[in-house]
Amino acid sequence: DVKVTQSSRYLVKRTGEKVFLECVQDMDHENMFWYRQDPGLGLRLIYFSYDVKMKEKGDIPEGYSVSREKKERFSLILESASTNQTSMYLCASSSTGFGSYEQYFGPGTRLTVT
Amino acid sequence: GENVEQHPSTLSVQEGDSAVIKCTYSDSASNYFPWYKQELGKGPQLIIDIRSNVGEKKDQRIAVTLNKTAKHFSLHITETQPEDSAVYFCAASKGQAGTALIFGKGTTLSVSS
């Protein structure tokens, strides 16, 4: 059974703190993604990665960075958390295998910045 | 930039009725259109997808149609059941399939018995 896990379900941080959100997949997928989900705005892509040490900006990368040192792990970093980064963060992974484009999502991390 | 519009934002139906959710996309290069279902407290899960070389695809009570000329695609759920209640997202590939997706804003479907 495919699995994407995220390090925390709920996280509360203070303004200005550096925040790390971790995502691990056990499917040997090449692609990994970080999304942000807000009511009425759907899922918005923050960053994605096609391979180890590679990253691409998504639609809303400002205030975030990412790290992919190992194929199975993709980290989202908030360099200096702000209240407008309070949100649900979803990680996903997918294969580049021919004919298989499904993205598998983790359960999400609800981050509150106070 | 690329955009996916989804309507309606909320949809309430009686058990046994049909539900239709519609999306439009802007990127002519998009060739992959998945639909995801998100239940409370869980991440989205793929329920059906369609490629640009196909006009319609069906899987039991769920069907998706695609009109590439008009850049429209729709999700049809027949004989709805209470367990169909969830948030549904349409998406389009950013360019060719296998890359990132652009998601619609979601439709909250409520099925009452």
Side-chain angles (χ1 to χ4, degrees):
Chain A
D1 197 19
V2 299
K3 201 151 189 181
V4 177
T5 56
Q6 296 184 229
S7 50
S8 306
R9 291 301 302 268
Y10 300 93
L11 208 53
V12 180
K13 295 291 181 180
R14 293 197 181 274
T15 302
E17 277 192 82
K18 190 168 186 175
V19 181
F20 293 86
L21 302 183
E22 305 285 343
C23 175
V24 177
Q25 50 96 2
D26 65 359
M27 298 162 281
D28 200 37
H29 282 169
E30 294 80 9
N31 306 324
M32 296 189 75
F33 307 85
W34 274 107
Y35 294 91
R36 171 176 171 160
Q37 183 175 15
D38 298 290
L41 296 179
L43 280 70
R44 293 180 292 167
L45 182 64
I46 305 172
Y47 267 98
F48 58 103
S49 169
Y50 291 135
D51 201 350
V52 174
K53 297 192 186 293
M54 294 184 68
K55 60 184 179 184
E56 296 277 345
K57 289 181 180 180
D59 300 312
I60 52 165
E62 296 79 17
Y64 304 94
S65 62
V66 290
S67 173
R68 192 161 180 208
E69 296 296 320
K70 292 185 177 181
K71 190 176 185 180
E72 68 271 17
R73 188 179 297 269
F74 193 34
S75 302
L76 180 69
I77 303 156
L78 286 67
E79 296 289 342
S80 177
S82 63
T83 54
N84 62 12
Q85 292 178 310
T86 291
S87 187
M88 172 68 83
Y89 291 88
L90 290 163
C91 174
S93 71
S94 71
S95 170
T96 54
F98 178 75
S100 174
Y101 308 125
E102 179 175 357
Q103 290 191 16
Y104 294 86
F105 283 84
T109 295
R110 184 165 294 282
L111 173 67
T112 303
V113 183
T114 61
Chain B
E2 302 99 345
N3 187 44
V4 174
E5 298 275 347
Q6 181 172 349
H7 298 280
S9 56
T10 60
L11 182 58
S12 296
V13 299
Q14 291 286 325
E15 184 177 359
D17 286 351
S18 294
V20 179
I21 303 170
K22 298 183 178 183
C23 290
T24 60
Y25 62 98
S26 61
D27 186 357
S28 300
S30 297
N31 66 353
Y32 173 66
F33 308 91
W35 286 87
Y36 284 81
K37 176 183 181 182
Q38 186 177 27
E39 297 175 337
L40 207 59
K42 297 183 179 180
Q45 187 169 9
L46 181 74
I47 54 172
I48 195 167
D49 57 14
I50 192 167
R51 316 271 169 96
S52 59
N53 57 348
V54 175
E56 185 172 356
K57 184 177 178 181
K58 194 171 182 180
D59 183 4
Q60 299 183 337
R61 296 186 297 109
I62 294 173
V64 58
T65 58
L66 171 65
N67 181 332
K68 279 222 76 176
T69 304
K71 296 182 187 171
H72 290 172
F73 58 114
S74 300
L75 178 72
H76 304 252
I77 306 174
T78 58
E79 300 172 23
T80 54
Q81 301 166 3
E83 50 265 38
D84 293 329
S85 297
V87 180
Y88 291 82
F89 293 98
C90 63
S93 60
K94 279 196 175 199
Q96 295 295 305
T99 60
L101 296 173
I102 310 164
F103 282 84
K105 293 183 178 178
T107 296
T108 301
L109 174 64
S110 300
V111 181
S112 53
S113 55

